[in-house]
Amino acid sequence: VLTDKDQYPDNTILENALKESFTSFQQLEQILTTAPYDLTYIWKFYKDGKSWLCRFLHKKKTVFWLSVWDGYFKAGFYFTEKHEQDITDLDIDKKVKEEFKNAKWIGKLKPLIFKIEGEVSVEDILKTAIYKIKS
């Protein structure tokens, strides 16, 4: 939904797009920018996808990408083959792990995607972020 390259996704734009999911987005943003995560994030318009994406970083390392949809957002983590077993062992939603297991490789990376819709827990994203930071 963030397809206007001239309209930076500020909180007003994000609240209108995310609707009930905006609270979950704010919670995630507040937690991830403090210890122990200490992530920064950058919104950038990507011409190839014709939309704005948010990249969450730990120092210079990309931890995950966030995309905004109509009423929800997705957090996409990307892992190499050596991380597959660790992802299976993470204490996160079984459905997400199953989707990861069946996901197609994008080059040498495999996506682990969380869809956040409404006011729901972001705990699984936080657990995955800690793993990604440490790996």
Side-chain angles (χ1 to χ4, degrees):
V1 295
L2 304 179
T3 58
D4 184 347
K5 68 178 179 179
D6 297 321
Q7 196 165 35
Y8 183 84
D10 61 19
N11 279 343
T12 303
I13 301 292
L14 292 171
E15 188 171 12
N16 287 335
L18 292 171
K19 301 171 182 67
E20 292 82 25
S21 303
F22 184 65
T23 303
S24 296
F25 170 80
Q26 284 185 306
Q27 178 190 19
L28 188 65
E29 176 188 39
Q30 289 169 354
I31 294 169
L32 288 174
T33 55
T34 59
Y37 307 94
D38 295 318
L39 301 185
T40 57
Y41 62 92
I42 302 166
W43 283 100
K44 184 177 174 185
F45 187 82
Y46 289 87
K47 293 178 184 175
D48 58 345
K50 297 183 178 112
S51 68
W52 288 88
L53 291 177
C54 185
R55 187 172 125 189
F56 279 82
L57 303 129
H58 185 260
K59 298 178 182 169
K60 293 184 179 184
K61 178 181 184 176
T62 299
V63 177
F64 71 95
W65 295 85
L66 186 137
S67 58
V68 174
W69 302 77
D70 189 17
Y72 64 95
F73 63 92
K74 291 182 181 181
F77 293 81
Y78 294 86
F79 295 99
T80 60
E81 188 175 354
K82 73 178 184 176
H83 298 107
E84 276 191 290
Q85 186 58 50
D86 290 344
I87 298 302
T88 303
D89 296 340
L90 275 179
D91 181 24
I92 59 174
D93 186 288
K94 288 181 173 117
K95 181 181 172 195
V96 173
K97 289 195 284 189
E98 188 64 27
E99 289 171 359
F100 174 74
K101 179 182 171 187
N102 297 322
K104 296 198 186 293
W105 289 94
I106 303 167
K108 294 183 178 186
L109 299 174
K110 191 182 237 190
L112 175 72
I113 309 292
F114 294 96
K115 179 180 176 182
I116 304 298
E117 192 165 10
E119 290 186 45
V120 296
S121 172
V122 293
E123 280 300 311
D124 285 355
I125 294 175
L126 299 175
K127 291 174 188 176
T128 308
I130 284 290
Y131 171 75
K132 181 77 175 195
I133 291 165
K134 291 179 178 180
S135 66

